[in-house]
Amino acid sequence: MSLLTRKSTAKIRPRPLTAARRPLRRPAALGLAAALAWATLALTTGAPPADAGPSDTGLKGAIDRILTDPRLDGGAVSVVVADAATGETLYQRDGTDRLLPASNTKLATSAAAMALLGPDHRFRTDVLATGRQRGGTLRGDLHLRGGGDPTTLAADYDRLAARVAASGIRRVTGRVLADDTLFDTRRLGRSWAADDESSYYSAQISPLTVAPDTDYDSGTVVVQASTGPSAGARPRVALTPKTDYVRIENRATTVPAGRPDTLAIERAHGTNTIVITGEIPLQASPTKEWITVDEPTGYAAAVFADALAAHGVRVERPARLGVKTPAGARLLARHSSMPLKELMLPFMKLSNNMHAETLTKAIGHKVSGSGTWDAGLAAIEAYLKEQGVDTGQLRQADGSGLSRMNLFPAAQLTRLLVAVRDAPWYADWYASLPVACAPDRPVGGTLRSRMCDTPAALNARAKTGSLTAASALSGYVTDRAGRELAFSVVLNNYLAPSVKSVEDAVVVTLASSDTAKGETPEQAPEQAPEPRSRRTAEEPAAAAECAWRKPELIC
C-alpha cells in the first residue's frame, strides 16, 4: 500500500476538537497547469489602518466586505496579502495581531525541518545484539533502537525480525531492550487537551513507535467494530495491526436494524484498555476509529516481539523499555524511512500532528544533541530569525499547532512564506502544500474539496488550520493576470461552527482579481459566499480539520 491507496469506506466517527530574486521553474510533478515565476523577496508591512472598513474600493474594499461576515462579529481577524515579486504589501488587516494559528504552525516546523535536517534525511530503526551467538542461540539481548521514524509500519518490524532470523538466531536468552533514548520521555505537548487523549491526532511521541496505516498515524491502532451475527450479540472487533499490547473491553450490543447507531470507541485514561460501548444496528456499516496507545515504545517492542516469534525466534525474557544501546552492540538489521522530502507529503497534505512533533524533537537532537521540545523549538526559532521572521512577535509551544499556547501573526506567517522561496528544497516543500479542489487525497489533502468551481481551484496551495474557534489558511495563489501572491488568513474567537468559507472567499477574490490594475470581481459580496464543496451526507459542518476527521469523510 501507499499514500495513494484510499481508505476503507467504513463509517468513521469524527471527534470535535477542544481544545531574494532567483526565479525557479515549477516541476511538472507539482500538478498545476499554469507555470509560475518564483522569486524571493523581503516582505514589508505597514501599520494597519485604524478605520479599516468596507467603504474602500479595489482589493481592500473587496476583502473588507468579506470580513464583515456576521460569523466574525466579536471575533479576531488577521489577514495579510503580499506580492511575491516585489514584496509589496497589497492588503493588511490587523496583520500584527497575535492569534492562535492552529495547524498553520506546521509551516514553521516543516520549513525548519527541511532546512535543518535536510530533504534527504532518513530516520533509522536498528536491531543490534549484545552477548555471544553460538549456533542458533544468542546468549545476550536484542536491542531495538529507535531513530525517530514516525512512519514505521508493522510490516517494517516484520522485515527487521526476518533479518534477525536470517542471521541464524533462533533463541535469545535475554530480552528485547527498547532504546527510545534519542528523545526525552515527555510524551505529550504543552496544554494538549485531556479529552483528546485517545484521539489519533493527539498520540504520544516516542522515537520508537508504530503506524497502523500508510497515512502514517504513528502511535495508534485502528479498531473496527462490525455488527454481531444477531441482535443481542457483541459486535465483532478487529485490530490493525493485530497486537495484544492493547486490551479490548467490548460492552457494546448489536441491535435490530433501524435502531440508532450509538457505538463509541475510546481508550480508558492512563491505560491500554480500549472500551467499546453503545449499540450498532444490524446491517449498519462498521465503525472504525484510530485510537492512541499509552507508551508507544512498548507498542513497538510488542509488535517487534510478535514478529520475532512469527519468524521462529524465541526470546526468553520479557521486554524492557528505555534502555540505551551499548556502544559495542553488533548491528543485525536496519530499516530506513523514506527521505524527508517524501515524508513531507503525508505530513503536510494530511496535517499529521505526530510527524510535526517528531520532527521538532529530531531537529532538537540534530542541532543541540537534545531530543526535546524545548531544544527543537529553540532551533526552529533561530531558523525563523535567519529568514527575517520577527520571532519576538510570536510564540511556538509545539510543532503541530495542537497547543492553544501558540501565537502567530499573519504578517509573520506571510513573511515566512515569502522567505523560503530561495531555499534549494523549496520545490519539494511547496509540493507538500494542499491544493484547492484537487480531489485525490495525496494532492488536495485538507483542501481537496474547497474552492471548487472557482479561479482558486487547482491554483491555491495553502496550509489549513483548525481548532475550536480558531481557523487559518496561509499559502500561495495566482491572480487572474498571473501575479503570484502570498497570503495568510487567521480567524479566532468566533462562535460559528465554521468560518472556512470566509477564508475561501478571500482566496477566491485574490484569484479572481487583477491586483496590479486594482481590478476586483465586479460584485464583491457583503458576506462570504460558499464555494462549492464536495461533502458526504454524514459529514458535520464543524470546524475540525479535514484530516482530523479521518477519511473517507471529505471537507
Side-chain angles (χ1 to χ4, degrees), residues 103-119 340-341 343-345 347-349 351-352 355-357 359-360 363 380 383-384 396 398-400 408 413 416-417 420 423 425-426 428-430 432-434 463 476:
S103 279
N104 274 209
T105 304
K106 293 182 177 78
L107 292 167
T109 304
S110 60
M114 291 289 275
L116 300 176
L117 298 176
L340 180 59
K341 61 189 175 185
L343 175 56
M344 280 287 143
L345 294 171
F347 167 31
M348 295 289 278
K349 295 289 189 182
S351 200
N352 191 304
H355 295 184
E357 306 305 348
L359 288 171
T360 300
I363 287 169
I380 293 171
Y383 166 75
L384 294 177
Q396 189 171 348
D398 64 9
S400 66
F408 222 128
L413 285 166
L416 176 61
L417 289 167
V420 297
W425 40 261
Y426 174 70
D428 289 317
W429 183 83
Y430 177 86
S432 75
L433 296 174
K463 183 69 198 75
Y476 308 95

Side-chain angles (χ1 to χ4, degrees), residues 15-346:
R15 281 175 52 89
L17 294 177
T18 55
R21 295 187 184 271
R22 186 176 66 214
L24 299 175
R25 184 180 302 274
R26 177 182 297 180
L30 296 186
L32 298 181
L36 304 177
W38 304 104
T40 300
L41 61 143
L43 173 64
T44 57
T45 58
D51 58 346
S55 60
D56 299 288
T57 59
L59 183 65
K60 181 182 185 304
I63 298 178
D64 281 348
R65 276 186 286 277
I66 293 167
L67 299 180
T68 63
D69 191 292
R71 287 172 291 174
L72 301 178
D73 288 352
V77 174
S78 185
V79 181
V80 174
V81 180
D83 185 298
T86 67
E88 176 189 2
T89 300
L90 303 179
Y91 180 89
Q92 179 176 228
R93 167 78 173 268
D94 295 331
T96 60
D97 284 5
R98 301 181 186 96
L99 300 183
L100 184 62
S103 279
N104 274 209
T105 304
K106 293 182 177 78
L107 292 167
T109 304
S110 60
M114 291 289 275
L116 300 176
L117 298 176
D120 296 318
H121 176 82
R122 295 176 186 262
F123 296 98
R124 292 174 174 175
T125 305
D126 295 336
V127 180
L128 307 97
T130 51
R132 294 183 177 181
Q133 181 177 343
R134 293 186 176 181
T137 299
L138 174 65
R139 298 191 178 277
D141 300 306
L142 290 176
H143 299 261
L144 180 63
R145 183 170 64 192
D149 185 0
T151 68
T152 318
L153 304 169
D156 299 319
Y157 287 107
D158 184 75
R159 282 186 282 271
L160 288 170
R163 291 170 195 156
V164 172
S167 74
I169 296 174
R170 290 294 178 268
R171 173 174 169 250
V172 179
T173 63
R175 309 172 186 266
V176 170
L177 301 176
D179 181 355
D180 61 359
T181 60
L182 187 75
F183 297 168
D184 65 357
T185 57
R186 185 174 154 199
R187 295 296 186 234
L188 297 173
R190 295 178 67 188
S191 80
W192 289 7
D195 59 354
D196 284 340
E197 181 181 342
S198 71
S199 300
Y200 80 99
Y201 52 78
S202 187
Q204 298 179 24
I205 305 303
S206 169
L208 267 176
T209 190
V210 183
D213 56 13
T214 53
D215 281 1
Y216 305 106
D217 296 310
S218 55
T220 70
V221 292
V222 181
V223 185
Q224 179 167 302
S226 307
T227 59
S230 60
R234 297 293 185 198
R236 298 182 177 94
V237 180
L239 287 177
T240 304
K242 294 181 180 179
T243 179
D244 293 329
Y245 189 67
V246 298
R247 185 176 72 89
I248 299 297
E249 188 173 306
N250 190 354
R251 305 176 189 167
T253 305
T254 303
V255 296
R259 292 269 294 271
D261 188 342
T262 62
L263 201 76
I265 306 173
E266 287 191 307
R267 177 169 60 84
H269 172 71
T271 75
N272 272 318
T273 299
I274 296 174
V275 182
I276 305 174
T277 57
E279 298 179 341
I280 182 170
L282 287 168
Q283 301 177 356
S285 300
T287 292
K288 183 183 287 190
E289 289 280 5
W290 283 249
I291 302 294
T292 64
V293 302
D294 186 57
E295 187 46 74
T297 300
Y299 180 26
V303 169
F304 179 58
D306 288 346
L308 287 170
H311 286 280
V313 179
R314 178 165 59 93
V315 181
E316 295 188 346
R317 303 174 68 187
R320 284 181 57 194
L321 312 183
V323 181
K324 188 174 180 60
T325 304
R330 174 169 54 96
L331 182 66
L332 296 177
R334 167 170 289 169
H335 168 71
S336 295
S337 74
M338 67 189 79
L340 180 59
K341 61 189 175 185
E342 294 179 18
L343 175 56
M344 280 287 143
L345 294 171

Side-chain angles (χ1 to χ4, degrees), residues 434-440 443-454 456-460 532-534:
V435 180
C437 202
D440 290 338
V443 180
T446 55
L447 279 182
R448 64 190 180 275
S449 67
R450 292 172 59 177
M451 294 176 267
C452 295
D453 298 334
T454 75
L458 302 181
N459 175 358
R532 183 179 65 82
S533 294
R534 302 188 182 99

